[in-house]
Amino acid sequence: MLTRIDHIGIACFNLDATVEFYRATYGFEVFHTEVNEEQGVREAMLKINETSDGGASYLQLLEPTREDSAVGKWLAKNGEGVHHIAFGTADVDGDAEAIRGKGVRVLYDEPRIGSMGSRITFLHPKDCHGVLTELVTSAEPSADHSSAEH
């Protein structure tokens, strides 16, 4: 069962400048940073609030590390802006399978590792009214994620 909006992914050309905009304009601070080589992105997670299920809601700012990454291609075609929405779930495997059973294409056969050690998969935007949709099961809570560059 989907429990919350985990994050909104925003593609940007310059991560540092975009982080500064959100910090200066809204007061959001960076909770976590990392480079995901597999996905070809450098990212910053800005925590917005805690949620009743023990998770949190974030803005995920994404800067491509290479032009041929999914985010790099998306930026080249669309420019900066909202890239995807992610819903939190306690069971990404089960929810992905249930959604697949309703005729929605799930982009990964098996969930992959996402931000902060989470398990993720994506749903095809053509099956979700034009919205790239991510399902996320958060990793078990650990010590401090603040600006931990991986």
Side-chain angles (χ1 to χ4, degrees), residues 79-142:
E80 293 184 308
V82 174
H83 180 262
H84 67 275
I85 186 169
F87 295 109
T89 172
D91 182 10
V92 69
D93 299 271
D95 283 337
E97 198 55 40
I99 290 169
R100 180 182 279 123
K102 295 176 182 177
V104 175
R105 288 174 281 179
V106 178
L107 298 183
Y108 303 151
D109 290 332
E110 296 290 327
R112 297 182 181 178
I113 300 300
S115 300
M116 301 183 289
S118 62
R119 297 185 69 243
I120 65 166
T121 195
F122 285 90
L123 309 178
H124 200 293
K126 288 185 179 176
D127 297 343
C128 299
H129 296 271
V131 178
L132 179 61
T133 303
E134 182 179 5
L135 304 180
V136 178
T137 296
S138 299
E140 291 298 316
S142 62

Side-chain angles (χ1 to χ4, degrees), residues 45-60:
M45 295 293 271
L46 287 64
K47 189 180 212 176
I48 307 306
N49 67 323
E50 304 289 336
T51 62
S52 62
D53 68 356
S57 293
Y58 303 91
L59 286 181
Q60 178 188 46

Side-chain angles (χ1 to χ4, degrees), residues 15-84:
L15 184 65
D16 297 328
T18 307
V19 163
E20 178 55 24
F21 168 81
Y22 281 96
R23 189 203 60 72
T25 305
Y26 305 115
F28 298 153
E29 296 295 336
V30 173
F31 177 75
H32 176 82
T33 62
E34 71 181 80
V35 174
N36 185 318
E37 296 294 343
E38 179 185 3
Q39 294 179 20
V41 295
R42 184 169 78 104
E43 68 176 73
M45 295 293 271
L46 287 64
K47 189 180 212 176
I48 307 306
N49 67 323
E50 304 289 336
T51 62
S52 62
D53 68 356
S57 293
Y58 303 91
L59 286 181
Q60 178 188 46
L61 306 179
L62 300 160
E63 175 190 67
T65 59
R66 58 181 195 270
E67 291 179 12
D68 69 339
S69 69
V71 172
K73 291 176 186 177
W74 191 90
L75 270 170
K77 181 179 177 184
N78 300 293
E80 293 184 308
V82 174
H83 180 262
H84 67 275

